[in-house]
Amino acid sequence: MTGEEVLTGGGVNHVVRAGDTVRRPAGPWTPAVHALLRHLRERGFTGAPRAHGLDEQGREILDFVPGETADHPLPGWARADGALTGVARLLRGYHDATAGFAAPPDAVWYFPPVEPAEVICHGDVATYNCVFREGRPVAFIDFDTAHPGPRVWDVAYAAYRFAPLGDPGHAGARPVEEQARRLRLFADAYGLGDDDRRALVPTARARLDHLVRHMRERAAAGDAAFAAHVARGDDRLYSADIAHLARHEPELTGALTGALTCRSPRSDR
């Protein structure tokens, strides 16, 4: 198709823009994802692209969502508290909108469901999969990794990406005290419940362990994109972050479970 513009992002799929649409490789999970996107639109959730089937090359067709995404090194607006709390509220709205979604009987998901399946997790909420306008998050994109799971499974990974909760020795990382403060902001803006607050840090470790195993398995199977990630040491970086979360779980969990001032996911911060 002529007039296509290659889009950059997570670095796994070849994605192009064609006019007001985006064309992406389809997979066995695409029918379930498109059913989910239709459900979101029916529920009035506008923070996701609409799906328009497949093109003549077998690629999925999605709305192009205008705005900016962010990758490392992150610009200042992506590191601001307002972006953090805005993403938490957008994620809460997304999760709530998935309630009542009836997946097709033959649904296939990129990742297997995680119990308890409370919502449909996005699976990869990160700065490169969030569209911002004037520093405010307006939509999530790239729903390939969507799958049923508990809220905290998605919240923990999003908080890891946006707080962020990485080893302070890594480039661009924040001190533990600042990580704890921003983690609390994220949980408060989402309106996270007490049980999920206590579970968040161990869940983030489990989610990163899942990511490392998946990355290595795909690389071993000959997936060039994941092999490149492993070659540059992404798996080792995530493993160091797992160790960081284990070392500082008391401080991070303490920040989440201290005296609460507000639980409303709609309040401004």
Side-chain angles (χ1 to χ4, degrees), residues 123-178:
D124 193 11
V125 175
T127 55
Y128 48 78
N129 282 333
C130 186
V131 177
F132 295 81
R133 296 189 196 124
E134 297 181 350
R136 297 292 179 178
V138 297
F140 297 126
I141 56 174
D142 190 355
F143 282 77
D144 277 2
T145 54
H147 60 285
R151 289 176 183 267
V152 71
W153 186 248
D154 229 14
V155 171
Y157 186 72
Y160 164 75
R161 288 294 191 182
F162 279 90
L165 302 177
D167 188 313
H170 296 155
R174 301 171 187 254
V176 175
E177 296 79 8
E178 179 65 357

Side-chain angles (χ1 to χ4, degrees), residues 70-86:
D71 211 340
H72 295 282
L74 294 179
W77 55 262
R79 295 168 57 86
D81 284 355
L84 175 80
T85 55

Side-chain angles (χ1 to χ4, degrees), residues 89-216:
R89 288 190 287 268
L90 185 63
L91 183 59
R92 177 60 183 257
Y94 163 69
H95 283 163
D96 289 352
T98 68
F101 171 66
D106 57 350
V108 174
W109 301 102
Y110 185 92
F111 289 135
V114 178
E115 295 297 334
E118 300 169 336
V119 298
I120 306 299
C121 296
H122 176 281
D124 193 11
V125 175
T127 55
Y128 48 78
N129 282 333
C130 186
V131 177
F132 295 81
R133 296 189 196 124
E134 297 181 350
R136 297 292 179 178
V138 297
F140 297 126
I141 56 174
D142 190 355
F143 282 77
D144 277 2
T145 54
H147 60 285
R151 289 176 183 267
V152 71
W153 186 248
D154 229 14
V155 171
Y157 186 72
Y160 164 75
R161 288 294 191 182
F162 279 90
L165 302 177
D167 188 313
H170 296 155
R174 301 171 187 254
V176 175
E177 296 79 8
E178 179 65 357
Q179 292 183 23
R181 184 189 71 84
R182 284 172 57 86
L183 179 59
R184 174 58 179 267
L185 283 180
F186 193 94
D188 285 357
Y190 181 92
L192 197 64
D194 291 344
D195 290 345
D196 283 343
R197 287 171 186 254
R198 288 187 285 269
L200 191 149
V201 177
T203 301
R205 296 203 320 267
R207 179 64 181 82
L208 290 178
D209 180 70
H210 174 273
L211 175 59
V212 170
R213 287 185 285 108
H214 176 70
M215 182 180 298
R216 290 171 176 170

